[in-house]
C-alpha cells in the first residue's frame, strides 16, 4: 500500500480505537473520514487530530443505509476516492445469555454486524470501481477467537465480522483489495458509554442490573492498551497485508487452545477422499466463483 494522499473511511472514528486508527493513518499521510453517531465525539476528535483539510468528520449512524451512502458520497466529493474502509463502530452488552432481550440482540448485532455489512455493500464497489486497490479492516475482538463467558451476543457478532474478512480475503486479493480482521484485547475507550446511543425502540434490556453490578466492580482501564498503541498496530497490519491483526499476548494460550481443540476434533480416523478435497478446493478457492 502506498498510503500518502489516499483516503480512509473509519466508522466509529471519533473515539477510542477508531480515533487511534485515524491518528495512525493520518500520521501515515492519508486523508481520514471519521464517521460517527456522536456529535460530541466528532468535535473532540477533530480537535485532537488537528489534521486540517485532511480530516473530514461526518455524522453517521452505520445502521442507516441511505445515510451511509450519503456519507460515502460526501467523502468522495471531498477526497475523490476511498481506499481504506475501517468498519469499526461498535457497541456492547455483557452478562448472562438468558437475560438478553430481543432488543439486546438486535441492537448489538444491528450496529456491530449490520453496520459492517452496510459498510461493505456501500464502499466495496466504490473501491473496486476505481481500480487503485484498497484495504478493508473489520474491527472484531479477541473474544471472536477466545471464548469469554457472558459475551455471547458481542462475541458471536465479532466472530461474524472476522469470518467476513476470512471469506472475502481470497475472493478480493487478486483484485487488489486486502481484507483484515482486527482482533484486539481490551483497549482504553468510551465503549462503557455505548448505551447513550441506543435507540429508543431497542431500549428494553435484560442487563440493567448486571450493568450496575459491573460498574461497581472496579475500573481496570489502566491495564488496557491505549488507542495510539492499537492504531499503530492496525497501520502495521495494513502495511504488511496481515489477515489477522492481533494484539495482546495475554490471549496467546487461548488462541492456541482453540486452534488445537478444533484441529483435534476433525475426523482424522476417516480416510480422506482426494476427489472431494480437490473439488472443494476448486469450487471454493476459485475467486471467480
Ligand atoms: P468507543 O465507544 O470509544 O468508540 C466507538 C465509537 O463508535 C463511538 O464514538 C460511538 O459514538 C461510535 N458509534 C457507536 N454506535 C454507532 C453507530 N450506530 N454508528 C456510528 N458510530 C457509532 O469504543 P471502542 O472500544 O473504541 O470500540 C471500537 C470498536 O472496537 C468496537 O467495534 C468494539 O466492539 C471494538 N473493540 C473494543 C475493545 C475495547 O476493549 N475497547 C476490544 C475489542 C474490540
Amino acid at each position: 500500500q502506498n498510503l500518502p494522499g489516499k483516503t480512509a473511511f473509519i466508522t466509529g472514528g471519533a473515539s477510542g480505537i477508531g480515533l487511534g486508527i485515524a491518528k495512525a493513518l493520518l500520521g501515515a499521510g492519508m486523508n481520514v473520514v471519521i464517521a460517527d453517531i456522536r456529535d460530541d465525539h466528532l468535535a473532540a476528535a477533530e480537535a485532537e487530530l488537528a489534521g486540517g483539510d485532511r480530516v473530514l468528520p461526518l455524522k453517521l449512524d452505520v445502521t442507516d443505509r441511505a445515510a451511509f451512502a450519503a456519507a460515502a458520497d460526501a467523502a468522495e466529493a471531498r477526497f475523490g476516492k476511498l481506499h481504506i474502509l475501517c468498519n469499526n463502530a461498535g457497541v456492547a452488552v455483557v452478562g448472562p445469555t438468558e437475560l438478553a432481550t430481543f432488543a439486546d440482540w438486535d441492537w448489538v448485532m444491528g450496529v456491530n454486524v449490520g453496520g459492517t455489512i452496510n459498510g461493505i455493500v456501500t464502499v466495496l464497489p466504490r473501491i473496486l470501481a476505481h481500480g487503485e486497490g484498497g484495504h478493508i479492516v473489520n474491527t472484531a475482538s479477541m473474544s471472536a477467537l477466545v471464548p469469554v463467558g457472558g459475551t455471547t451476543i458481542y462475541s458471536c457478532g465479532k466472530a461474524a465480522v472476522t469470518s467476513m474478512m476470512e471469506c472475502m480475503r481470497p475472493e478480493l486479493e487478486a483484485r487488489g483489495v486486502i481484507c483484515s480482521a482486527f482482533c484486539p484485547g481490551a483497549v482504553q475507550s468510551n465503549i462503557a458509554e455505548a448505551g447513550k446511543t441506543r435507540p429508543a425502540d431497542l431500549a428494553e434490556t435484560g442487563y440493567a442490573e448486571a450493568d450496575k453490578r459491573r460498574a461497581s466492580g472496579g475500573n481496570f482501564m489502566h491495564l488496557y492498551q491505549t488507542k495510539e498503541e492499537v492504531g499503530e498496530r492496525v497501520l502495521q497490519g495494513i502495511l504488511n497485508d496481515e489477515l489477522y491483526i492481533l494484539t495482546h499476548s495475554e490471549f496467546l494460550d487461548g488462541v492456541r487452545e482453540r486452534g488445537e481443540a478444533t484441529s483435534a476434533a476433525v475426523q482424522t480416523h476417516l480416510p480422506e477422499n482426494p476427489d472431494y478435497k480437490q473439488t472443494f478446493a476448486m469450487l471454493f478457492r476459485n475467486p471467480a466463483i
Side-chain angles (χ1 to χ4, degrees), residues 11-18 35-38 41 60-63 87-92 107 111-112 139-142 154 158 182-194 197 224:
T11 68
S15 173
I17 293 171
D36 204 289
I37 198 171
R38 279 183 60 166
H41 283 180
L60 172 66
D61 176 352
V62 293
T63 67
N87 289 308
N88 167 82
V91 295
W107 177 50
V111 176
N112 295 9
T139 299
S141 166
M142 273 291 184
Y154 182 78
K158 294 304 184 183
F182 175 45
C183 304
V187 179
Q188 296 173 13
S189 81
N190 293 307
I191 200 164
E193 288 184 9
T197 58
Y224 301 171

Side-chain angles (χ1 to χ4, degrees), residues 42-286:
L42 285 166
E46 189 179 12
E48 186 171 337
L49 288 169
D53 286 351
R54 290 200 291 127
V55 175
L56 177 62
L58 287 178
K59 169 103 175 214
L60 172 66
D61 176 352
V62 293
T63 67
D64 181 338
R65 292 172 174 168
F68 212 132
D73 288 345
E76 285 179 336
R78 170 73 167 266
F79 295 122
K81 296 165 187 158
L82 304 180
H83 300 89
I84 293 183
L85 169 66
C86 296
N87 289 308
N88 167 82
V91 295
V93 292
V94 181
T97 308
E98 74 273 16
L99 296 183
T101 60
F102 284 124
D104 287 318
W105 279 99
D106 288 349
W107 177 50
V108 177
M109 296 301 263
V111 176
N112 295 9
V113 183
T116 301
I117 292 167
N118 295 344
I120 300 291
V121 173
T122 306
V123 178
L124 174 61
R126 297 172 189 243
I127 297 178
L128 288 170
H130 64 60
E132 293 177 5
H135 206 118
I136 298 174
V137 181
N138 281 358
T139 299
S141 166
M142 273 291 184
S143 72
L145 308 172
V146 178
V148 183
T151 70
T152 307
I153 302 177
Y154 182 78
S155 297
C156 73
K158 294 304 184 183
V161 302
T162 301
S163 175
M164 205 184 286
M165 293 294 89
E166 290 171 327
C167 295
M168 286 169 60
R169 172 102 180 188
E171 187 188 330
L172 292 170
E173 208 162 27
R175 293 154 78 192
V177 179
I178 304 297
C179 293
S180 301
F182 175 45
C183 304
V187 179
Q188 296 173 13
S189 81
N190 293 307
I191 200 164
E193 288 184 9
K196 287 189 178 177
T197 58
R198 186 166 173 152
D201 62 332
L202 296 176
E204 191 195 344
T205 180
Y207 290 123
E209 286 309 312
D211 285 348
K212 273 188 222 153
R213 272 198 302 280
R214 215 179 44 262
S216 62
N219 184 337
F220 303 103
M221 202 74 101
H222 60 287
L223 298 174
Y224 301 171
Q225 287 195 9
T226 64
K227 63 180 186 296
E228 286 80 11
E229 286 174 305
V230 295
E232 285 299 323
R233 178 69 188 96
V234 170
L235 170 61
Q236 181 197 19
I238 290 172
L239 291 171
N240 295 333
D241 288 352
E242 293 173 54
L243 169 57
Y244 301 108
I245 305 178
L246 269 54
T247 58
H248 302 63
S249 59
E250 294 86 351
F251 288 88
L252 179 58
D253 287 345
V255 171
R256 198 173 267 150
E257 277 164 27
R258 184 183 204 241
E260 285 167 3
T262 49
S263 302
V266 176
Q267 290 181 298
T268 48
H269 61 285
L270 298 181
E272 190 177 295
N273 181 335
D275 290 341
Y276 172 69
K277 199 173 177 183
Q278 205 182 3
T279 308
F280 185 88
M282 188 188 71
L283 285 177
F284 294 105
R285 300 238 169 97
N286 181 348

Side-chain angles (χ1 to χ4, degrees), residues 3-7 23-32 54 235:
L3 302 183
K6 292 191 172 159
T7 302
K23 271 189 180 184
L25 297 183
L26 189 68
M30 296 194 77
N31 307 311
V32 294
R54 290 200 291 127
L235 170 61

